[in-house]
Amino acid sequence: MRISHVLILLVLLGVAFVSCKQDAASAAAEVKKEQEDALKALDKSFAELKASSTEVVDFRILKDALPEKLQGMDRVSHNGQKTGIAGLNISTADAEYREGDRTISITLLDSGGFGAALAGLAEWSQLEMDKETDQGYERTTMIDGKRAYEKFDRTAKTGEIAMIAADRFLVNVKGTSITEEDLRAAVSKIQLKG
């Protein structure tokens, strides 16, 4: 009788394991879908702001796009400014998030459609790069249809994602003591409202 109880217990544990694995896969797929939807909404927001003017977006709008909390971390700094010289204006906003040794910093920059300035600030946008080591990777890629640069060191748990949106906005996300997923999720949490 004891063998049949053990056998039943093993079958039940196997069913529970498969069920948990399916639930985890389902949850991961749902999170990925939410991030993709958020990135599409962000892309639409960038496109609407681009269409509205060739003037730089007020840095206060960029600041408002940066959430108070991010990946369980509180925002510890929040800045913005507009600078210009010889008719070239740039509007920027940045925020830093921290919890213990985990940090993520985000910078949003609007070049007002002045592509040469953007290309100078994002020199990676002119490169094709794909490098991988045992510790991590560095590459240019596309994220939701936007040109992007990704770098991640799995040993140090540090990384960066930079991307260009609507041919005028530069989004730069850097993190320490974080995961690759944290970086991607941080980009999807930006909420621009024009």
Side-chain angles (χ1 to χ4, degrees):
M1 212 51 175
R2 287 186 98 194
I3 292 178
S4 64
H5 287 297
V6 171
L7 188 57
I8 290 172
L9 181 61
L10 286 175
V11 168
L12 289 175
L13 285 173
V15 167
F17 177 75
V18 168
S19 176
C20 287
K21 192 172 182 181
Q22 288 173 342
D23 288 345
S26 176
E30 186 175 318
V31 167
K32 184 174 181 174
K33 171 95 170 80
E34 287 174 6
Q35 286 181 357
E36 288 172 356
D37 290 345
L39 285 171
K40 287 177 184 169
L42 177 62
D43 194 35
K44 182 179 177 189
S45 297
F46 277 127
E48 288 170 0
L49 286 173
K50 178 185 178 185
S52 67
S53 173
T54 57
E55 288 293 316
V56 294
V57 173
D58 187 310
F59 72 84
R60 291 166 188 88
I61 292 173
L62 297 179
K63 277 183 69 178
D64 287 345
L66 301 170
E68 289 186 31
K69 290 184 90 54
L70 186 67
Q71 298 305 103
M73 295 179 269
D74 292 323
R75 189 173 63 201
V76 294
S77 71
H78 194 215
N79 307 295
Q81 69 179 10
K82 176 183 172 184
T83 56
I85 186 169
L88 170 63
N89 293 311
I90 294 177
S91 184
T92 60
D94 60 73
E96 183 175 343
Y97 303 83
R98 182 179 306 275
E99 180 187 58
D101 62 345
R102 295 175 63 223
T103 64
I104 291 180
S105 63
I106 300 177
T107 300
L108 299 178
L109 180 142
D110 177 20
S111 66
F114 193 70
L118 190 59
L121 293 167
E123 65 277 356
W124 53 264
S125 67
Q126 306 302 311
L127 299 173
E128 288 294 327
M129 176 189 331
D130 192 2
K131 174 182 169 184
E132 190 162 335
T133 67
D134 292 338
Q135 289 79 30
Y137 58 85
E138 181 176 11
R139 61 183 169 230
T140 52
T141 187
M142 298 295 279
I143 296 177
D144 195 38
K146 293 178 279 302
R147 185 94 170 120
Y149 166 81
E150 289 183 291
K151 181 177 183 179
F152 196 80
D153 184 325
R154 292 182 186 106
T155 305
K157 294 185 179 179
T158 60
E160 174 180 4
I161 293 178
M163 67 182 190
I164 296 173
D167 296 325
R168 69 180 273 175
F169 298 97
L170 178 63
V171 178
N172 194 346
V173 179
K174 293 182 180 181
T176 57
S177 298
I178 44 85
T179 66
E180 298 163 71
E181 292 77 20
D182 288 335
L183 285 177
R184 289 271 179 134
V187 172
S188 73
K189 298 294 184 201
I190 299 168
Q191 297 293 319
L192 272 171
K193 298 172 186 101

